[in-house]
Amino acid sequence: MGGAKNSVLKLMAAALLAEGTSVLTNCPEILDVPLMADVLRGLGAEVEIDGETARITTPAELNHRADFDAVRQFRASVCVLGPLVARCRRAVVALPGGDAIGSRPLDMHQTGLRALGAHSAIEHGCVVAEADSLRGAEITLDFPSVGATENILMAAVLADGLTVISNVAREPEIVDLAAMLTEMGADISGAGTDTLMVRGVERLHPTTHRVIGDRIVAATWGYAAVMTRGDISVTGVDPATLGVVLGKLQDAGATVTARENGFRIVSRERPHAVNVATLPFPGFPTDLQPMAIGMACVAEGLSMITENVFEARFRFVEEMVRLGADARTDGHHAVVRGVEQLSSAPVWSSDIRAGVGLVLAGLCADGTTEVHDVYHIDRGYPNFVDNVNALGGEVERVS
Ligand code: UD1
């Protein structure tokens, strides 16, 4: 299992917090990594990517502006906001365009930075934050937002005094970020709980850090095994980070064996329907909701899938219907009655996870399914086509 997309991009941004060369190992070979490298270069850093290793050299003076051209292709680029405010006391980061999974406002990012003493506004299509100095504060998030937690944490590590952030995201990728920041000299406690305590330090130093394995990609292969009645072993990911997900696959009838650094999933029969509700970690991840829908489409019985994190994440369900799924959505619920056989059709992917969910459904359909706009998949899944073929699927990339 390669490194986690949702970790590596933030770790690359964290490297901006210390002058000198930080090294990240186990970087996934996905499109978002070179895109993030370009964002960092635009800010004045030097970035060298060699296979699974990224070397980021941060200068004493950073450019505080991330322009639209650099950030427009992916939303995660907004995670340079916290480091820029911390290092330069000024940040201007262009707002990336709308996302196909729903609106993604930055109000909590801004509220947190304001509490630390920054002025923040949206101006001319950019989020702007400025502070004469940053000082520790008590901050309670309205919702455990992953991105807001990360930006506030990365600003607080160089603020003056103690910051206590409550109702934070507890995702393993936050724990990974806190681990790297601690290796850089930050004083952080509570990572993985709902409260982070950060005592600001004057400066951080570069480090070498290994990115954690991608639990979303790992679990995707688990879904692939259950949907196609296969036998799969995944290594390089902590199964404890997938507790709820592996439990759902077990409820669907698969034999799930957790191992020290991975898991095995064996499925011989048609999966049973299971209900799923997405929630912040340790709940069921919204990023696996399309796989849960995919499994529901071929399972025996009626599944109810509830999306609680991104309001528009059901748009791809109509593509599943094109493949013969018996599915309907109402607000943030999807009700799916599994069918014995999906039927191939041309379908369009709207984001990384929906694209993969459609490919998995295509593996269960008779005939040849054409999935369009698959560039989304390249953003988050390394060697996707080769991996599916190595596992016995038949996928061909057509340019
Ligand atoms: C990250 C992940 C994404 C995952 C998501 C939830 C990365 C690159 N992306 O996205 O794959 O699906 O976490 O696990 O790590 N919100 C606000 N105001 C804010 C911030 C967020 O209303 O200031 C809302 C969002 O619109 C959304 C919810 O909070 O409805 C969760 O968003 P958030 O946890 O921030 O997700 P991201 O960090 O964008």
Side-chain angles (χ1 to χ4, degrees):
M1 189 49 48
K5 170 179 97 69
N6 287 353
S7 208
V8 69
L9 303 175
K10 326 306 171 59
L11 302 179
M12 291 174 78
L16 296 174
L17 286 162
E19 186 185 344
T21 304
S22 284
V23 180
L24 294 172
T25 61
N26 199 34
C27 293
E29 296 187 42
I30 53 172
L31 204 55
D32 273 9
V33 169
L35 289 177
M36 188 67 184
D38 282 343
V39 172
L40 301 191
R41 288 186 190 111
L43 299 170
E46 280 172 35
V47 187
E48 215 183 287
I49 297 169
D50 182 8
E52 295 186 348
T53 303
R55 292 173 174 279
I56 301 156
T57 303
T58 299
E61 298 285 326
L62 283 166
N63 165 15
H64 68 274
R65 283 184 164 273
D67 291 328
F68 185 68
D69 270 353
V71 307
R72 79 191 150 96
Q73 306 200 55
F74 70 124
R75 170 83 192 180
S77 51
V78 81
C79 67
V80 299
L81 184 64
L84 286 179
V85 182
R87 279 295 306 282
C88 312
R89 301 293 189 245
R90 291 191 75 191
V92 179
V93 180
L95 292 169
D99 206 291
I101 63 174
S103 75
R104 293 170 102 172
L106 295 176
D107 52 317
M108 286 184 256
H109 302 237
Q110 291 183 285
T111 304
L113 295 179
R114 285 184 193 125
L116 294 173
H119 295 281
S120 181
I122 305 290
E123 288 172 12
H124 311 295
C126 299
V127 54
V128 179
E130 282 178 322
D132 292 334
S133 63
L134 293 177
R135 52 179 192 302
E138 287 197 13
I139 300 162
T140 301
L141 298 184
D142 291 349
F143 180 90
S145 152
V146 171
T149 301
E150 291 162 342
N151 263 329
I152 300 167
L153 171 63
M154 288 194 274
V157 287
L158 291 180
D160 201 8
L162 179 70
T163 298
V164 180
I165 323 166
S166 306
N167 197 26
V168 293
R170 291 182 276 167
E171 267 68 1
E173 293 76 21
I174 303 273
V175 178
D176 200 24
L177 173 62
M180 173 163 164
L181 293 169
T182 303
E183 288 152 22
M184 294 169 81
D187 182 351
I188 301 168
S189 58
T193 75
D194 64 3
T195 304
L196 281 171
M197 297 216 272
V198 188
R199 193 167 288 283
V201 295
E202 211 157 294
R203 69 182 61 242
L204 298 177
H205 52 79
T207 191
T208 295
H209 181 86
R210 183 180 166 83
V211 183
I212 56 163
D214 198 313
R215 65 194 163 99
I216 304 297
V217 174
T220 299
W221 298 124
Y223 272 93
V226 177
M227 289 171 69
T228 60
R229 300 171 210 185
D231 177 348
I232 205 167
S233 291
V234 177
T235 54
V237 70
D238 178 359
T241 62
L242 285 168
V244 175
V245 176
L246 297 178
K248 291 289 173 191
L249 293 176
Q250 205 151 18
D251 292 348
T255 305
V256 178
T257 316
R259 295 174 172 164
E260 195 188 318
N261 190 30
F263 54 83
R264 179 177 176 200
I265 292 185
V266 184
S267 176
R268 297 278 174 239
E269 285 167 14
R270 188 175 169 196
H272 311 303
V274 285
N275 296 338
V276 163
T278 68
L279 283 171
F281 189 83
F284 190 93
T286 173
D287 286 350
L288 289 171
Q289 180 255 94
M291 312 342 154
I293 295 263
M295 188 175 85
C297 289
V298 296
E300 201 165 349
L302 191 75
S303 308
M304 162 105 89
I305 317 289
T306 304
E307 173 56 61
N308 292 311
V309 181
F310 287 110
E311 84 271 6
R313 206 161 200 172
F314 279 144
R315 285 187 192 149
F316 75 99
V317 172
E318 59 198 64
E319 301 300 303
M320 290 288 192
V321 170
R322 222 192 270 271
L323 291 173
D326 180 356
R328 72 187 60 196
T329 60
D330 185 1
H332 62 133
H333 299 294
V335 177
V336 185
R337 186 178 295 283
V339 296
E340 225 159 296
Q341 177 72 66
L342 291 172
S343 91
S344 56
V347 289
W348 277 261
S349 64
S350 48
D351 71 85
I352 307 176
R353 315 297 174 186
V356 171
L358 289 167
V359 173
L360 299 191
L363 291 173
C364 300
D366 62 359
T368 303
T369 295
E370 273 177 29
V371 184
H372 295 264
D373 295 345
V374 288
Y375 58 88
H376 290 293
I377 297 175
D378 301 332
R379 290 191 36 217
Y381 285 77
N383 303 319
F384 183 69
V385 169
D386 290 348
N387 285 332
V388 175
N389 288 329
L391 288 166
E394 263 182 61
V395 181
E396 191 189 345
R397 176 128 194 170
V398 200
S399 57

